[in-house]
Amino acid sequence: MTRVLVPVAVLERESVSPGLISLLGTVDVTLLGYHVLPEQTPPDQARLQFEERATAALEDLSQEFRAAGGDADHRLVFTHDREQTIQRVAGEVGADAFAVSGPTGDVDRLLVSLSGDVDVDRVLSFVERLVGDRDIGVTLFLAAGAGTPDDAAADESERTAPDDADGARLEAAADRLREAGVEATTELAEGGSPFDALIDAAAGHDAIVMAERAPSFRSLVFGDEGERVAAASVGPVIVVRDAESDASAAGTSSEPGE
Amino acid sequence: MTDEPSGRNLDGDAPVAEAVVETDEATITEDAELERTIGLTGGLAIGIGTMIGAGIFVFPGLAGGEIGAAASASFAVGGLIALLVALPTSELATAMPRSGGGYYFISRGLGTLAGTVIGLSLWLGLVFATAFYLVGLGYYALDALAQVGVTIGVGTDALVSGIAVVAGVAFTVLNVTGTENAAKLQNAIVALLLSMLVAFLGYGLLEAFGFVAVDTPPGEAVDVWEAVPILSVAALVFTSYLGFAQVATVAGEMKNPGRNLPLAMVGSVLIVTVLYVLTIFIATNVFTRDALLAAGETAMVEVGRALLGPAGALVIIVGGLLATMSSANASILSTSRAIYGVSKDALLPRWASRINLRYGTPHVALGMAGGPVIVLAATGQVQLLAEVASFLHLIMYGLMCVALVAIRRDRPEWYDPDFVVPGGPVVPVLGALASFGLIAFMDRLSIAVGVVVIAVTAGWYFYYARDVSLKGAL
């Protein structure tokens, strides 16, 4: 079964929008209630004080998810490092994707980004399972020439001459979705930054699905890509995890720390 | 699984305890998980960052002034004792990777009375140590002012105390309100310090072996190579080694604790011992005993000036400021964790571990650390503060070694350390003897103050928490 991790800063009064809850109705959900503490505070100390409140809120939220259709459980983590916690728990529960919460109403159209060196097959099969037999349309998006990841120079030179391979790749993906009974259109962006193009394309869509990419210099400086897209597009983002990060998350326990 | 902690304190609170599962990445309690986020580098930075401030930048003048080049033997003795304690501490910490450090091990191994005394005197010991670091910071700040040409007319002692108090207030406020990455800053400061020191020591060694020559001030006094003075100076400078056990206070947050805790503790002791011995060797090589004595707390600045000119003095001043700051800051952090550990076990009122809603920081515990620190810093008594801090820590170190022997003998079901000290009881027994033995070489007044502190904490146990039982409870 497909599982999506939904991190919620539950003690910061963050919640999950009704639109995202119903969108995730076709999949199982693990709610990850987390609370980030400054380094002065031992996590255990915060747990003693806040555990009950946080657990009560998480139970209410998971009930809402169950009411929307899928199975839902919850975990509560006190941490100094949000990113590390999300990666660890996602690996432990075997989540296929994690959600970045954002306000949205009923979802009738998804924007699915295939830009970059991503596992298209994994993203598409996730989208098929997410949409299920519901009447949700999909726009497949590709920033032309962004196929070479994290190499600005290559990006520039290739983007000036968008090659037909990109278009063909996009059409093949759309065909695959249509075969599965999902209404799909395509959008190929040429020139400019792939990030800005994705944000421009986000208008008219209720949520974005994208693939996780290996941490880069850019993500170190500006933060996680999914977060940035969510912040700029003001809607929920679902990040499909890499098959490799699954393996590496499972491997960290045997690997010496750091 | 184990005996539950039991009993209630005067306020009617019972110790908080529940079964938890420790993994390499998190502590899993019934309803929540606690992420482990501190790696080996972070652990080393806490250990080295706490230790290095005092040892290298304040003591060379005091210790070298007393016995000359023999002070490097004192530092070596201190390092050896620290190592004898760090090994047993590592074993205990990998068996009980929880916040609270030494307090936790002793209360579980030796019972509530010893636990209360150590828990509270760990808090107060850290308070004395922090005050000592802040006074050291005051001396360096004064030198920095002198360096940029600001001369002060009023009494320097008053000014040093003033700077120490202001810095104490600033660190406390910063820890309550600052939610930025204090640990990352700490790591950066420690890295910068280490590189400055290595460069400085490298040049100093070249000079010592005659590859480069500098003018050294003349002096008559000879070095004192005698056992008793060496040990008595070792007792004084032992404050320089008080950092390694602070690593255990964040044991609950260390990633892969079975590997990282022993490496961080033993590693930081070895690294600073080498640095200390080299520094003293160089300082006493450049300056004789009376010259060091005259230069006092900031003798290292003069050593730097003699070796590398004004630039050398500047490097040492900046290093001294950074190091005393990082020591003070790391100690305030450990203090609040020590208070939390004691309060969780109902040995202090529960409100002592409350967390501030706005900043998410333990403001009460930080206040209980910062408040007395400021009062003590105002006294400006470098030597007394350092020795009382050493005394209280040495008692804890000795009892930790005893606790290890006791726990090994009882072999409770939960005791399954990842790291085991080789050689059976030899290392912990030597560690305990050395720790208690070093106390005998301390100044009478320091011992008296320390004994009063211990008596007060024991009195607190009988008054407040007599019914609480913690022994053997995980």
Side-chain angles (χ1 to χ4, degrees):
Chain A
M1 186 63 188
T2 312
R3 184 168 286 279
V4 175
L5 187 74
V6 183
V8 193
V10 71
L11 290 166
E12 315 259 318
R13 298 197 296 175
E14 190 189 331
S15 193
V16 184
S17 54
L20 183 57
I21 292 179
S22 63
L23 174 63
L24 294 176
T26 45
V27 297
D28 287 343
V29 165
T30 296
L31 267 173
L32 170 62
Y34 67 90
H35 189 50
V36 178
L37 298 155
E39 267 127 4
Q40 298 91 308
T41 315
D44 197 35
Q45 191 167 351
R47 179 180 71 85
L48 283 186
Q49 202 165 328
F50 300 129
E51 186 176 34
E52 280 177 28
R53 269 178 263 177
T55 306
L58 283 175
E59 265 160 16
D60 289 350
L61 254 183
S62 18
Q63 245 161 26
E64 284 184 48
F65 271 101
R66 277 194 285 270
D71 191 26
D73 55 13
H74 62 82
R75 296 177 64 161
L76 174 63
V77 182
F78 292 89
T79 181
H80 295 302
D81 184 342
R82 173 177 180 276
E83 208 63 2
Q84 184 188 321
T85 297
I86 292 177
Q87 287 299 338
R88 174 178 67 86
V89 177
E92 281 178 12
V93 301
D96 303 87
F98 62 87
V100 183
S101 212
T104 183
D106 277 341
V107 176
D108 3 79
R109 193 145 200 97
L110 289 176
L111 181 65
V112 177
S113 165
L114 299 177
S115 307
D117 179 23
V118 301
D119 187 344
V120 174
D121 182 54
R122 205 175 151 85
V123 175
L124 291 180
S125 73
F126 175 78
V127 170
E128 281 167 24
R129 280 171 287 164
L130 179 67
V131 172
D133 50 12
R134 293 184 291 182
D135 190 17
I136 297 176
V138 169
T139 304
L140 289 171
F141 171 87
L142 184 65
T148 327
D150 293 327
D151 190 337
D155 268 13
E156 290 309 316
S157 60
E158 277 182 47
R159 198 144 342 104
T160 48
D163 68 72
D164 296 338
D166 283 332
R169 199 172 143 212
L170 208 49
E171 272 316 312
D175 285 344
R176 183 182 152 176
L177 283 184
R178 286 181 199 123
E179 265 170 47
V182 179
E183 186 265 304
T185 58
T186 60
E187 185 171 338
L188 186 65
E190 293 172 22
S193 109
F195 181 83
D196 291 343
L198 178 62
I199 300 304
D200 288 342
H205 297 84
D206 307 297
I208 296 175
V209 177
M210 57 192 288
E212 183 178 44
R213 289 205 267 171
S216 61
F217 175 69
R218 197 177 297 197
S219 70
L220 268 181
V221 176
F222 298 110
D224 180 63
E225 199 179 2
E227 299 285 327
R228 283 189 294 139
V229 171
S233 68
V234 201
V237 173
I238 297 171
V239 182
V240 180
R241 298 179 69 234
D242 223 357
E244 275 169 34
S245 70
D246 249 354
S248 70
T252 42
S253 49
S254 59
E255 206 180 310
E258 293 234 73
Chain B
M1 179 173 91
T2 63
D3 325 43
E4 289 288 305
S6 57
R8 294 188 175 278
N9 64 20
L10 206 62
D11 288 334
D13 292 324
V16 183
E18 64 232 285
V20 299
V21 178
E22 310 278 358
T23 72
D24 282 348
E25 292 155 334
T27 303
I28 298 155
T29 69
E30 203 177 325
D31 280 330
E33 295 154 48
L34 313 168
E35 194 84 32
R36 295 182 175 276
T37 49
I38 302 177
L40 179 57
T41 337
L44 280 171
I46 291 173
I48 297 175
T50 314
M51 286 191 261
I52 218 159
I56 259 177
F57 292 99
V58 182
F59 280 127
L62 299 177
E66 249 172 72
I67 55 172
S72 45
S74 300
F75 273 93
V77 168
L80 182 67
I81 295 175
L83 193 63
L84 286 175
V85 179
L87 288 166
T89 310
S90 299
E91 176 172 333
L92 290 167
T94 60
M96 301 173 252
R98 310 282 180 80
S99 284
Y103 154 73
Y104 199 86
F105 316 144
I106 289 167
S107 62
R108 268 51 184 180
L110 300 175
T112 318
L113 172 59
T116 313
V117 167
I118 291 310
L120 298 181
S121 50
L122 173 61
W123 159 33
L124 297 168
L126 282 165
V127 162
F128 274 92
T130 313
F132 159 69
Y133 302 142
L134 288 174
V135 176
L137 172 67
Y139 279 106
Y140 270 90
L142 201 66
D143 259 39
L145 287 178
Q147 200 70 18
V148 294
V150 183
T151 42
I152 288 92
V154 294
T156 43
D157 284 352
L159 198 72
V160 165
S161 303
I163 294 172
V165 168
V166 171
V169 174
F171 279 123
T172 311
V173 172
L174 208 68
N175 273 305
V176 172
T177 60
T179 50
E180 292 302 313
N181 285 330
K184 293 215 174 73
L185 187 68
Q186 182 87 357
N187 292 2
I189 289 181
V190 170
L192 181 65
L193 253 177
L194 284 181
S195 42
M196 281 165 66
L197 278 172
V198 167
F200 174 78
L201 292 178
Y203 189 82
L205 283 177
L206 286 181
E207 193 277 334
F209 292 109
F211 294 111
V212 288
V214 296
D215 294 330
T216 51
E220 305 286 307
V222 289
D223 304 333
V224 187
W225 286 98
E226 285 169 38
V228 172
I230 286 178
L231 288 174
S232 126
V233 169
L236 166 68
V237 301
F238 194 70
T239 321
S240 328
Y241 292 99
L242 297 190
F244 68 89
Q246 265 69 296
V247 178
T249 61
V250 295
E253 289 148 71
M254 287 279 269
K255 282 188 255 188
N256 196 353
R259 165 184 176 270
N260 288 344
L261 277 171
L263 278 181
M265 281 197 254
V266 175
S268 54
V269 168
L270 290 178
I271 292 172
V272 299
T273 306
V274 170
L275 287 176
Y276 287 170
V277 172
L278 282 181
T279 308
I280 294 290
F281 174 74
I282 287 164
T284 50
N285 198 277
V286 175
F287 277 25
T288 54
R289 198 148 74 84
D290 32 10
L292 283 172
L293 194 61
E297 275 81 3
T298 52
M300 281 308 288
V301 178
E302 300 312 316
V303 175
R305 196 191 314 278
L307 278 176
L308 292 165
L314 193 70
V315 166
I316 297 294
I317 286 181
V318 172
L321 286 173
L322 287 178
T324 44
M325 276 185 216
S326 92
S327 289
N329 196 41
S331 300
I332 290 181
L333 280 187
S334 306
T335 318
S336 96
R337 278 178 168 70
I339 292 175
Y340 161 64
V342 180
S343 156
K344 188 184 176 191
D345 285 338
L347 302 179
L348 273 181
R350 191 58 37 88
W351 48 257
S353 61
R354 286 203 72 80
I355 294 173
N356 178 309
L357 277 177
R358 175 143 168 230
Y359 301 109
T361 49
H363 59 297
V364 182
L366 287 168
M368 288 166 74
V373 163
I374 292 162
V375 174
L376 288 176
T379 66
Q381 295 286 333
V382 175
Q383 212 144 334
L384 181 70
L385 291 172
E387 283 211 352
V388 175
S390 288
F391 176 90
L392 294 172
H393 277 84
L394 280 168
I395 298 272
M396 174 174 89
Y397 293 167
L399 286 180
M400 278 200 291
C401 294
V402 175
L404 177 62
V405 176
I407 291 180
R408 275 184 176 178
R409 188 199 56 208
D410 296 348
R411 273 281 155 196
E413 210 180 312
W414 49 262
Y415 190 70
D416 182 22
D418 289 333
F419 169 85
V420 178
V421 185
V426 176
V427 173
V429 167
L430 281 179
L433 290 178
S435 304
F436 293 134
L438 203 55
I439 291 174
F441 293 94
M442 284 186 172
D443 193 62
R444 287 279 154 72
L445 178 62
S446 318
I447 295 180
V449 174
V451 168
V452 168
V453 170
I454 299 271
V456 170
T457 57
W460 173 261
Y461 163 75
F462 287 111
Y463 163 72
Y464 189 76
R466 195 194 310 210
D467 295 335
V468 177
S469 157
L470 297 169
K471 186 170 178 180
L474 190 57

